[in-house]
Amino acid sequence: QLLQLQVERAQQFERNAPGVAQSDDELRRLQAQADRLAERVQALTLRAGVAGRLVLDPGRVHPGRHLAQGDLLGQVLPEGAPMVRALVHNDDIARVRAQPGRIQVALAQGGEPLPATLAGAVPRALAQLPSPALGEAAGPLPLDPADPEGRTPREPHFQVDLRLPPGSPAHVGARVMVAFEHGQAPAAVLAWRALRRSFLRHLGG
C-alpha cells in the first residue's frame, strides 16, 4: 500500500496539488504503520544475553504452536563443563562438605558413570525444591502433602552443584544418579553413624 501510494502521488504531483497534500497525509500514516510493523518483526528475533550453545526443549517447540511472550523455550549453555544440581539429606551434608571423596554421576540415558567435582553447596537447608522433578518423581524423597506444587520436602535437604567433565553428553532437564564415595570406615564408626541418625530423627519427630 505504501509503494502504491508513492507511485500515485508522483503521477498526480503536477496536475492535482490538493490530491498530493492528501496523499502526503496518507503516506505519513502508512509509513508510521510500516515502522511499527518493522519494530514488531525485529522484536521476534531472540538474542541471548550470554554466549553459549542453544538447547531447545523439543516438548515446547514444534511447528504450529503459539508461543506467548515469556514462555521458556530452552536454555543457553555457556561454554565449559555442564553442571548437575543434586540434593543431599541433612544427615549426609556434613560429610559431603568435609570429605566429598570420589563423585560419580550416572546419566539417565545410560553409558558409563562420569566423574564430577563439587562446585558449591547452598549453606542452609532448602525450604522448597528448585524443581518438582527433584521430588518423589525422581526418587524416594518424601514431600509435604499440603503443597500442591510438590516442591516442599518433609525432611531437610541441601542443594549441591557438581561439575561434569567438558563435553559430557548431558542436556538440560536430564535426570542423574549421584554417588559420593567417602572411602572405608570401621564397623564401629558405621554403627555409631546409624545410631546417631536414628536418634536425630527421633528427636525431630
Side-chain angles (χ1 to χ4, degrees):
Q1 290 178 350
L2 183 61
L3 292 175
Q4 180 181 355
L5 188 58
Q6 289 173 341
V7 172
E8 293 176 354
R9 180 187 182 281
Q11 291 175 346
Q12 62 185 356
F13 183 77
E14 294 183 355
R15 64 178 185 273
N16 187 4
V20 170
Q22 183 177 358
S23 296
D24 286 344
D25 293 339
E26 183 67 9
L27 276 172
R28 284 190 289 269
R29 186 188 69 81
L30 289 177
Q31 186 62 57
Q33 183 178 356
D35 291 343
R36 289 194 297 270
L37 289 174
E39 291 177 358
R40 292 180 60 186
V41 170
Q42 184 69 18
L44 295 176
T45 301
L46 303 180
R47 292 181 174 85
V50 296
R53 178 170 57 92
L54 175 63
V55 179
L56 296 176
D57 185 345
R60 298 174 183 266
V61 182
H62 54 81
R65 178 183 176 183
H66 172 73
L67 299 174
Q69 185 174 3
D71 283 352
L72 179 64
L73 306 182
Q75 303 282 344
V76 176
L77 303 183
E79 298 297 333
M83 191 78 71
V84 169
R85 181 155 291 169
L87 296 180
V88 176
H89 194 275
N90 183 62
D91 295 341
D92 303 313
I93 188 62
R95 295 182 63 204
V96 168
R97 286 173 173 166
Q99 187 184 1
R102 185 186 180 199
I103 305 174
Q104 294 287 307
V105 175
L107 303 179
Q109 65 263 31
E112 292 294 324
L114 301 173
T117 57
L118 184 63
V122 175
R124 59 178 59 88
L126 299 177
Q128 281 196 325
L129 302 179
S131 168
L134 293 174
E136 290 177 339
L141 200 163
L143 301 175
D144 185 352
D147 180 8
E149 297 183 358
R151 296 181 56 182
T152 304
R154 294 179 60 183
E155 298 180 348
H157 282 77
F158 290 77
Q159 175 184 305
V160 296
D161 290 333
L162 310 173
R163 194 176 299 279
L164 296 178
S168 298
H171 61 273
V172 176
R175 293 180 178 176
V176 301
M177 294 294 292
V178 179
F180 295 89
E181 299 179 9
H182 302 290
Q184 300 291 332
V189 174
L190 296 177
W192 164 250
R193 289 175 181 168
L195 178 62
R196 182 175 179 274
R197 288 179 181 177
S198 301
F199 181 69
L200 291 177
R201 288 177 179 173
H202 176 72
L203 287 180

